Amino acid sequence: MRPADITPEQIIEAGQALQAAGRNVTGFALRQRVGGGNANRLKQIWEEHVASQSVAQAEPVAELPIEVAEQLKVDSAAFVERLARLAVELNDRAVKAAERRVAELVRTTGEQREQMERELADAGTAVDEMEAKLEAAEARITELNGALAGEKERRQALALELAQVQERASATDKAAKAAALAAAQRETELRGQLQQSRQDEQAAREREATANGQLLAAMQQHEEDAKVSAELRRDLEKARKEAEDGRVHLQAAQARLDGAAREIEDARKQAREARDEAKQAAASAAELRGELKALQQELASLKAAKPATPPPQPKGRH
C-alpha cells in the first residue's frame, strides 16, 4: 500500500488555517489546502484531532438546580414541539416548492421536446430537400455526360468531315491549278493557232489581191487568152476558198479560246467554293469547341456544387 505523503501535522495546520479564515473544515477544503490526498482520510484525521482537543478541554461542571432543570425540561419540550411544527411547515414548503419545480421542469422539458421535434422535422425536411437536389444534380450530371459524349461524337464526325472537306478542297485546288495551267497552255496554243490563222488569212488576201491584179493585167493585155484567164480564175477561186477556210478556222479557234476561258472561270469558281466550304467547316468546328468548353465548365461547376458526403440521417426518423 502506498504510504501517505501528507503528515497529520500538515493536515491539522491546514484545518486550523481554514478555521482562522472562517471557512468550514471539510475533506475537500483540506485537500485543496494541502494540495492533494484522500478527502476522507484528511477529514478523519482532522475530526480525531478535534475530538482529542474537546476531551482535553472538558472540565467538570456543577449540576443544575431542580427548578431550573424542570423549567429547562418544559422549555425543551415546547422548543421541540415548535421545532417539529417548523420542520413540518418547512417540509410542506419544500415539498410544494419541489412539486412546482417538477411541474416547471416537466413543462420546460415538454417545450424543449416539442422544440427538438420541430427541429428534427425541419432537419428531416432539409435532408429530403438536399437529397432531392442531389438526385437532380446527379440526373443533370448524367444528362450533361450524355450531351458531352454526343458532342464528342459530333466533334469527331465534324473533324472527320472537316478533314474530308480540306482534302477535297486541296484536291479541288490542285485540280483548279492544273486546269488553270492546262487552260493557260491551251490558251497559248489557241492564240498561236489564231495568230497562224490570221497570218494564213493575210497571205490568202495577199494571194487574192495578187491574183486579181494578175487577172486584170491579163484581161487588159490579152483578152483572147482564155486559157490563161481560166487559170487565173481558178487561182482566184482557190485564193478565195483559202481565205474562207482561214476565216472558219479563225472562228473555230476563237470558239475554242472562249471555251477554255469558261473552263478556267469554272475551275476558279470551284476553287473559291472549296475555300468557302473549308472556312465554314473551320468556323463550325470553332463554334463546337466553344460549346464543348461551355459544357465542360458547367459540368465542373455542378461537380463543385455537389456535396462531398450526404448529410447524416437523424436518429428515430422513419
Side-chain angles (χ1 to χ4, degrees):
M1 183 175 179
R2 180 181 178 183
D5 297 332
I6 302 172
T7 63
E9 290 77 9
Q10 292 176 340
I11 297 171
I12 293 170
E13 289 178 0
Q16 292 173 351
L18 291 172
Q19 284 182 342
R23 296 178 55 187
N24 294 327
V25 181
T26 62
F28 292 101
L30 291 170
R31 181 179 179 181
Q32 184 179 8
R33 186 75 180 180
V34 299
N38 190 337
N40 294 329
R41 174 180 174 272
L42 299 176
K43 180 64 175 175
Q44 181 181 359
I45 294 175
W46 172 253
E47 289 177 351
E48 291 176 354
H49 169 71
V50 173
S52 64
Q53 291 296 319
S54 299
V55 172
Q57 294 177 0
E59 295 181 355
V61 295
E63 294 182 357
L64 291 174
I66 297 175
E67 295 82 0
V68 176
E70 291 178 354
Q71 185 63 38
L72 180 60
K73 186 181 297 184
V74 173
D75 292 341
S76 297
F79 183 70
V80 169
E81 185 179 356
R82 288 179 61 189
L83 284 177
R85 287 197 303 270
L86 182 60
V88 171
E89 183 180 354
L90 292 175
N91 182 66
D92 182 64
R93 291 180 181 179
V95 170
K96 289 180 179 179
E99 290 178 351
R100 287 194 300 271
R101 286 196 298 270
V102 170
E104 181 67 20
L105 182 60
V106 170
R107 184 183 64 80
T108 305
T109 305
E111 292 178 354
Q112 291 178 354
R113 181 180 178 183
E114 292 177 357
Q115 181 66 21
M116 290 180 64
E117 289 178 352
R118 287 193 296 269
E119 292 178 357
L120 185 61
D122 293 340
T125 303
V127 169
D128 293 337
E129 292 177 356
M130 289 298 294
E131 289 178 350
K133 290 181 180 179
L134 181 60
E135 291 178 357
E138 289 177 350
R140 178 61 176 167
I141 289 173
T142 303
E143 181 181 355
L144 289 175
N145 286 332
L148 181 60
E151 288 299 328
K152 286 182 179 179
E153 293 179 356
R154 181 183 176 189
R155 181 182 177 184
Q156 291 176 355
L158 286 176
L160 180 60
E161 184 178 356
L162 177 63
Q164 293 177 354
V165 169
Q166 290 176 349
E167 185 178 357
R168 289 197 302 269
S170 178
T172 305
D173 194 12
K174 291 180 180 179
K177 289 181 180 179
L181 182 60
Q185 294 177 354
R186 182 62 177 169
E187 182 179 5
T188 302
E189 293 177 357
L190 290 176
R191 289 183 185 278
Q193 293 179 2
L194 180 61
Q195 184 67 26
Q196 184 65 36
S197 299
R198 287 175 180 174
Q199 292 177 358
D200 293 342
E201 182 182 8
Q202 183 65 30
R205 286 177 181 176
E206 291 177 356
R207 287 195 298 272
E208 182 181 6
T210 303
N212 288 331
Q214 292 176 356
L215 177 61
L216 183 60
M219 289 177 64
Q220 289 176 355
Q221 294 177 3
H222 201 289
E223 295 180 354
E224 293 85 4
D225 192 356
K227 184 177 180 181
V228 173
S229 179
E231 290 179 355
L232 289 174
R233 288 190 185 94
R234 285 194 299 271
D235 292 338
L236 180 61
E237 187 65 26
K238 183 177 180 182
R240 289 176 178 174
K241 185 176 181 181
E242 289 178 354
E244 186 66 24
D245 292 339
R247 291 190 188 95
V248 172
H249 187 67
L250 180 62
Q251 291 176 358
Q254 187 66 40
R256 288 192 298 271
L257 182 62
D258 293 339
R262 285 192 298 271
E263 290 178 359
I264 293 172
E265 185 63 26
D266 291 339
R268 291 175 179 173
K269 184 178 180 181
Q270 289 178 1
R272 287 194 299 270
E273 289 177 353
R275 293 191 186 96
D276 293 339
E277 186 178 358
K279 290 179 180 179
Q280 291 177 358
S284 300
E287 184 178 358
L288 285 175
R289 294 189 188 99
E291 294 178 358
L292 179 60
K293 185 176 181 180
L295 287 173
Q296 290 175 348
Q297 292 177 353
E298 184 177 359
L299 179 59
S301 62
L302 286 174
K303 288 182 177 179
K306 179 180 178 182
T309 56
Q313 297 290 337
K315 296 182 179 179
R317 180 170 174 267
H318 299 286

